[in-house]
Amino acid sequence: MSESSRTAGRAGLFWTLLPYLVFTVLFIATFKRWILPFEDSGREMNTALRLAEGEVLYRDVGYSYGPLSPLIDGFLLRTFGRSLDVLVAWRTVLALLGVEALRRLARRLAPGESLAAAISSFAIAACAFGVGGSWPFPYSAAALAGTVGAWWALELALASESPAGSMAAAVVAGLAAGTKLEMVPLALAGPLLVLALHRPRKEAFSAVAWMLGAAGIAYAVPIVRFGEDLMKRQGFLIALSVPESWRRVYERVLFGGLTPADFARGGFQDVLFPSAVGIALVLLLRGGGRTFNLVLSPLLFVAGGLTFLSPGNGWLHALLPLAACVAIDGLVRAAIAWRRGDCSPDPTAVGVALVMLPALIRQPFFLRNPVYGAFSAPLALVVALCWIGRHAHARKAFTALVLGLSTAQVALRVQGIGMAAMTRTDLPGASLSLVPAESRFVTEAARVISETVPEGGTIGIFPEPGFLLFVTGRKNPFVDELFVPGIQNAAAEDLMIRRLRERPPDALLVTNRAYPEFGPAIYGHGLLDRFFLEVSRRYVLARRIGGEAEPVPLRHASGGLLLVARPTADPDEARAN
């Protein structure tokens, strides 16, 4: 083998491994700093534990997504024991599969291997390690599994050269569609049409049948078993009637405001316009000779690195609407080609567009929200940057710019998460790093719960019980793992009251905060009023976590309040009181 061949081989290996290197650096630098005890992380932990201990999904445990992810998590905890590390390990495996899928799709879209590696590395650095949206422990394992599954289904469909390959794509797509209702269009549409475009008709029809069958089983079986009413109250059909309060939150996340004027001022003027100017300047760059590239490439690498100083990724936001335009253009061109019959539509452009566009609805304009952006933005960033790379004249310089952008994103995550002041917190089944105040609270709360509630006992914790239940091993007496506005309807509140009367928990722990993102309601004053009226008749305040007990009315409480049942064996007497 010649020296030039060996050099080319080493360069190829470097570009192949670069996305994994970025992922590994960020994984180590931010390790276990992305777990939020009183947000969705707790639901992900305790839902799996409840299933591992024999409770039944949707009937005993409320869950608004598809069944695949919690069943896998429950199996892992049942096999390996109650450990946060088990869940992190499984999500990390999924994340690494996502890195490879994104790398392969970038390689199909980019005009060169080095640019594809730089672009996929940038997408991973920008999206995979935000607090609440980190791939090793995201707000929803279903979102991670569904997104990665959709990417792999598309890649397998594009690579298929046999019935076995088409069948693999179909099965992966069907499983991905079964993770969350919103995953159905992005997991099925792209792979389905790709197979229809470049595989024999009989083979494509067979694959589609398997695809739809797998997704259909995931959703049909729970509905048939538990009924439509129960699934609307405590299953995934709750997604079909989103409360107005949730719609307002989504509008703020998606568009940066509730009115067109808000968007024009805060979205277009301050964010989209400057980043669009940056894209235009890159497209205007003209390539030159060797000396030109030797000078321009380092300058653009530094320019990309300087985006570290840009708050909120301000210079990157126009990439998402650009990706949407590129995807729509690809679909229009494919439709024209199909209608004329003089050339075949591009399966890659069609498939990527149909996987990317439904995901982008979650966050079409901004990269500010890491929770949804972790899954809606990566493929869109790849599409936009690959399009720029195909149209840029100075491609080597553009590759240097993207590598600079990637370096800035890595630095932002290391600074914002890896170097943040956090305290290592060791609890049974979970070791992680938390901000100091949160660490003190969960440590004391876990100790008080263990002292107050006997092993195997029950405690109702509000608003998000999962983390403390997981680390103490105590049980949730209610169906739901989340008690925020819009989750419990009247029927669900009736069920909570009935549980409180028939099987009163040993204690309750309430952190009664306001919910400005949904409205002003707090517990007992606009939120679960009837339930907390019953609580006030049956429970007395024992202590305040973080301080001595104070006779503060529940609806005005701001700290963690531990309430224990009144010392009476007569429920009617307790109700009368």
Side-chain angles (χ1 to χ4, degrees):
M1 181 182 294
S2 66
E3 182 62 29
S4 60
S5 298
R6 285 194 292 269
T7 302
R10 287 193 293 268
L13 180 62
F14 170 78
W15 293 119
T16 299
L17 295 179
L18 181 61
Y20 291 97
L21 176 62
V22 169
F23 180 91
T24 302
V25 168
L26 287 175
F27 182 82
I28 294 172
T30 65
F31 187 60
K32 287 190 181 179
R33 289 169 167 254
W34 1 263
I35 296 166
L36 305 175
F38 299 110
E39 296 191 27
D40 294 333
S41 295
R43 176 202 62 204
E44 295 292 294
M45 295 164 66
N46 203 53
T47 296
L49 182 62
R50 293 176 71 175
L51 299 184
E53 293 176 344
E55 294 189 70
V56 176
L57 190 67
Y58 304 127
R59 187 194 69 190
D60 305 321
V61 186
Y63 190 70
S64 55
Y65 305 141
L68 181 64
S69 290
L71 292 178
I72 292 174
D73 285 350
F75 170 77
L76 291 172
L77 292 186
R78 186 163 58 250
T79 303
F80 298 104
R82 173 170 57 104
S83 172
L84 175 61
D85 292 340
V86 171
L87 300 180
V88 171
W90 167 234
R91 284 150 178 74
T92 303
V93 170
L94 287 175
L96 290 171
L97 289 172
V99 170
E100 178 62 15
L102 206 61
R103 186 191 71 82
R104 293 190 181 203
L105 291 172
R107 186 65 187 88
R108 291 182 179 277
L109 296 169
E113 184 178 4
S114 58
L115 183 55
I119 289 172
S120 55
S121 298
F122 165 73
I124 291 160
C127 300
F129 285 92
V131 174
S134 171
W135 291 5
F137 210 96
Y139 82 99
S140 165
L144 174 65
T147 302
V148 171
W151 292 346
W152 266 108
L154 175 59
E155 170 60 25
L156 291 170
L158 290 168
S160 176
E161 297 180 353
S162 67
S166 298
M167 193 64 64
V171 171
V172 172
L175 292 175
T179 57
K180 296 183 73 176
L181 278 177
E182 63 261 38
M183 292 295 170
V184 172
L186 67 98
L188 298 185
L192 187 154
L193 197 53
V194 165
L195 291 175
L197 285 175
H198 83 115
R199 297 304 302 159
R201 182 174 300 178
K202 183 177 180 181
E203 179 182 316
F205 279 149
S206 176
V208 168
W210 278 91
M211 190 183 299
L212 297 176
I217 289 171
Y219 293 112
V221 168
I223 294 174
V224 170
R225 182 177 180 187
F226 301 120
E228 184 179 346
D229 289 342
L230 184 143
M231 292 303 297
K232 284 182 178 178
R233 185 170 69 250
Q234 56 200 51
F236 51 76
L237 291 181
I238 192 176
L240 299 180
S241 59
V242 179
E244 180 61 29
S245 56
W246 287 87
R247 290 194 185 97
R248 290 197 298 270
V249 172
Y250 290 146
E251 286 171 349
R252 290 191 184 96
V253 170
L254 296 178
F255 303 109
L258 295 177
T259 68
D262 291 335
F263 175 73
R265 288 192 301 268
F268 179 78
Q269 181 178 333
D270 298 338
V271 178
L272 292 186
F273 179 73
S275 54
V277 171
I279 292 172
L281 290 175
V282 169
L283 292 173
L284 289 173
L285 285 174
R286 296 289 171 178
R290 179 181 178 85
T291 303
F292 176 87
N293 281 312
L294 286 175
V295 173
L296 184 61
S297 294
L299 289 176
L300 286 181
F301 177 85
V302 172
L306 288 176
T307 59
F308 172 79
L309 303 175
S310 172
N313 285 326
W315 285 93
L316 306 177
H317 294 300
L319 291 172
L320 299 186
L322 173 61
C325 293
V326 171
I328 293 170
D329 178 70
L331 291 177
V332 170
R333 289 175 182 271
I336 293 172
W338 175 80
R339 187 174 181 84
R340 289 178 176 175
D342 55 0
C343 60
S344 300
D346 180 4
T348 301
V350 170
V352 169
L354 291 176
V355 170
M356 188 207 79
L357 285 172
L360 202 59
I361 292 173
R362 278 286 201 172
Q363 191 166 308
F365 294 111
F366 305 130
L367 287 165
R368 289 172 176 167
N369 187 290
V371 175
Y372 299 138
F375 309 107
S376 62
L379 188 56
L381 293 175
V382 167
V383 169
L385 290 171
C386 286
W387 182 87
I388 296 172
R390 292 194 301 272
H391 291 81
H393 300 284
R395 286 182 181 171
K396 290 184 178 179
F398 179 62
T399 301
L401 173 64
V402 177
L403 289 173
L405 293 172
S406 303
T407 303
Q409 292 298 312
V410 171
L412 284 167
R413 304 298 166 266
V414 171
Q415 180 203 45
I417 303 174
M419 297 176 66
M422 303 187 85
T423 301
R424 180 180 172 86
T425 307
D426 295 311
L427 296 165
S431 296
L432 67 164
S433 294
L434 301 172
V435 296
E438 198 167 56
S439 176
R440 289 192 297 271
F441 179 82
V442 299
T443 301
E444 183 180 356
R447 178 179 58 79
V448 171
I449 290 170
S450 298
E451 293 172 353
T452 305
V453 180
E455 289 190 24
T458 59
I459 177 171
I461 302 176
F462 302 87
E464 302 183 65
F467 180 82
L468 287 173
L469 291 172
F470 187 91
V471 298
T472 61
R474 273 46 177 184
K475 299 184 182 302
N476 186 352
F478 306 112
V479 169
D480 292 314
E481 284 289 324
L482 190 65
F483 302 93
V484 298
I487 295 296
Q488 285 78 35
N489 58 13
E493 191 171 6
D494 288 340
L495 177 60
M496 291 174 64
I497 294 171
R498 188 163 65 250
R499 291 279 183 93
L500 195 69
R501 291 172 176 172
E502 296 174 353
R503 291 177 284 172
D506 297 298
L508 299 174
L509 176 63
V510 183
T511 301
N512 202 10
R513 69 172 179 86
Y515 292 87
E517 66 270 37
F518 297 106
I522 57 176
Y523 291 125
H525 189 64
L527 177 61
L528 295 177
D529 290 353
R530 293 184 295 116
F531 173 78
F532 277 98
L533 179 61
E534 189 73 17
V535 167
S536 67
R537 294 167 175 166
R538 293 176 164 271
Y539 288 80
V540 294
L541 176 59
R543 66 177 298 169
R544 184 186 298 275
I545 306 299
E548 296 300 321
E550 299 176 20
V552 179
L554 182 65
R555 70 182 187 179
H556 296 140
S558 58
L561 300 179
L562 182 73
L563 299 101
V564 296
R566 292 180 185 274
T568 176
D570 186 349
D572 294 328
E573 180 184 343
R575 194 177 304 121
N577 292 332

